[in-house]
Amino acid sequence: MTDSAGSAQGIAAQRIGAAVAATAAAADRHTCGVQSRMERVLNAFAAERVGVQHFASVSGYGHGDQGREVLDRVVARVLQAEAAAVRLQFVSGTHAIAAALFGVLRPGDRLLALTGRPYDTLEEVIGIRGTGQGSLAEFGIAYAELALSAAGRVDLAGLEAALAVPTRLVLIQRSCGYSWRPSLSVAEIGDLCARVKAIQPDCICFVDNCYGELVETREPTAVGADLIAGSLIKNLGGTIAPTGGYVAGRAELVEQACCRLTAPGIGSEGGTSFDLNRLLFQGLFLAPQMVAEALICSELVAQVFSDLGFAVNPLPGAERSDVIQAVRLGDPERLKTVCRAFQAASPVGAYLDPVPAPMPGYASELVMAGGTFIDGSTSEFSADAPLREPYVLFAQGGSHRAHARIALERALLALATAGLDRTE
C-alpha cells in the first residue's frame, strides 16, 4: 500500500469513527426500542400457543394448514390488526399491495393517492404507465393524486377538495420511496386517517407499510388504517424469510385481498407454506433486533454523508418511521462509485459490478448494490437508486452495524480515490 493510499484509508476510518461517536445516542435509542417490540412478538407467540407442530405445512391446496393459520394470527397481533394473511405466494410487497387494491376496488370506484406519486412499481398497477397488462385503469377504476406540498408533506389544506369526489379508497405511502420527502410517522398516518374519515366515513384508508414495520411502537392499523400491506423480505422477515408478503387490517378487507391472490370462494383458505413456516416464525422473532440494527446503519449513512456536505433525508438523529436513508449525491459517477463499494463489501456477489440496468416495474434504470442472501431483500445492508437527477442514493437495511461501517469506509476511500468526495 502506498503512503497516499494508506493516508486516504486512514482518513476514511477516522471519518467513520467520528460518525459512530456522533450517532452513539441515536444508536442507544434504537437499541432500547428493541425490548418493547420483542415483547410484542413474544406475547403474540405465547397467545397463539406456537409450537414445533406449526412449523410443518400441508401440500397441494394447503387446506387446513395449521401453521399458516397460526402465523396469520400471530402477525395480526404483532401488527395490531384484526386479521392478517401472510403468504409465500406474494412475490413482493408490490404484489401484496396490488392484491389489496384489486381485491377491494371495483369498476367505477375512485382511488386517491394522498402522498403524491406512488412508488415506481405501482405506476403500472394503477395504470399511470404502461398499457395492456390489466391495470386498475383498464378495469375502470379512476385515479387521482394529491400533490405534496413544497416541503414534501401531505397537503392537508387541499385534502377536503381532493375528497369532494366520492372516493372508495385512499392510498397512503408510509415510506419516502424514491422521492425526496419525509416518511410519514404512525402518528401522522393516524391523523390523516381521522381527517379522511371525517370527510368520507366509508372511505378505506390503505397504507403501503413497506420498510416501516416494527420501526415505531405502533403500526398504522393501531391508529385508524383499515388495511396495510408489505413484504416479508424486508423488515418482518428478519433476513431469513425466503419470499412472501402480507396484508393486515379489517378482516373482511384482508379476505378480499386474499380472494384476489387465490380466487373468489378460496380466499385465505388456500395456499401451502412449502414447509417453510419455521423460517417465517423465526424471521419474525428476529425482526425487532434486525430492524433496530438497520436503523443504526441508517444513522451512520446519514452522519457520514452529512459530514461530507451532502444533503441527507432524514437528518442524523431525527425521528424515523422507516429504515430508508436517502443521500443526494448529485452526480451519476458518484452514485455508481458508492454502489460499487457497497457491493464489494457484500457477503454475496462481492465480485459483481452493479451497473445501471432496467428492472421490471421501474421507469428508470436502477443501480443496485445488494449482495444479500435472499434475492431482493433489503434487510442486509444494501442500497439502490434510479439513474436520474438529482441522483439520490437510497440505503436501507443492515443486520450488523459493523457491516455498514466496513461498507461506508470502502465507499469513502473509493470516492476519495476518484476525486468525488466533495459536494462542489
Side-chain angles (χ1 to χ4, degrees), residues 16 297-298 300-302 304-305 325 327 329 334-354 367-372 380-385 393-397 403-415:
I16 301 301
C297 292
S298 292
L300 278 175
V301 174
V304 166
F305 284 98
Q325 180 60 52
V327 180
L329 293 174
R334 190 179 284 130
L335 182 64
K336 288 184 280 188
T337 297
V338 172
C339 285
R340 286 192 188 102
F342 285 179
Q343 182 72 37
S346 296
V348 180
Y351 58 90
L352 297 174
D353 183 9
V367 186
M368 305 193 75
T372 55
E380 293 107 327
F381 187 68
S382 59
D384 54 76
L393 177 80
F394 295 91
Q396 61 268 315
H403 182 194
R405 291 184 64 168
I406 293 168
L408 284 165
E409 184 174 329
R410 294 185 184 183
L412 290 186
L413 183 58
L415 287 171

Side-chain angles (χ1 to χ4, degrees), residues 82-83 226 249-256:
E82 182 181 0
D226 298 297
R250 285 165 40 194
E252 71 273 18
L253 300 178
V254 170
E255 189 62 27
Q256 287 176 345

Side-chain angles (χ1 to χ4, degrees), residues 73 82 102 119 138 145 160 174 222 258 297 312:
R73 296 199 297 269
E82 182 181 0
F102 276 102
Y119 191 67
E138 291 171 6
E145 62 187 47
E160 187 170 356
R174 179 175 179 177
C258 288
C297 292
V312 299

Side-chain angles (χ1 to χ4, degrees), residues 190-206:
D191 176 68
L192 198 51
C193 291
R195 290 172 183 266
V196 169
K197 297 291 186 180
I199 300 169
Q200 290 197 35
D202 295 331
C203 184
I204 295 167
C205 293
F206 174 51

Side-chain angles (χ1 to χ4, degrees), residues 164-228:
V165 180
T167 301
R168 172 62 174 161
L169 181 147
V170 294
L171 171 62
I172 302 168
Q173 184 174 294
R174 179 175 179 177
S175 171
C176 63
Y178 278 157
S179 60
W180 188 267
R181 69 161 175 87
S183 297
L184 267 65
S185 69
V186 172
E188 288 174 311
I189 292 172
D191 176 68
L192 198 51
C193 291
R195 290 172 183 266
V196 169
K197 297 291 186 180
I199 300 169
Q200 290 197 35
D202 295 331
C203 184
I204 295 167
C205 293
F206 174 51
V207 178
D208 171 357
N209 205 36
C210 286
Y211 303 103
E213 301 89 351
L214 299 176
V215 172
E216 298 191 54
T217 56
R218 298 180 298 174
E219 297 295 329
T221 29
V223 297
D226 298 297
L227 189 64
I228 62 175

Side-chain angles (χ1 to χ4, degrees), residues 42-54 70 73-74 77 281:
L42 289 174
N43 288 344
F45 274 56
E48 297 299 338
R49 301 173 64 84
V50 174
V52 294
Q53 69 273 20
H54 297 127
V70 168
R73 296 199 297 269
V74 167
R77 288 178 181 272
F281 279 112

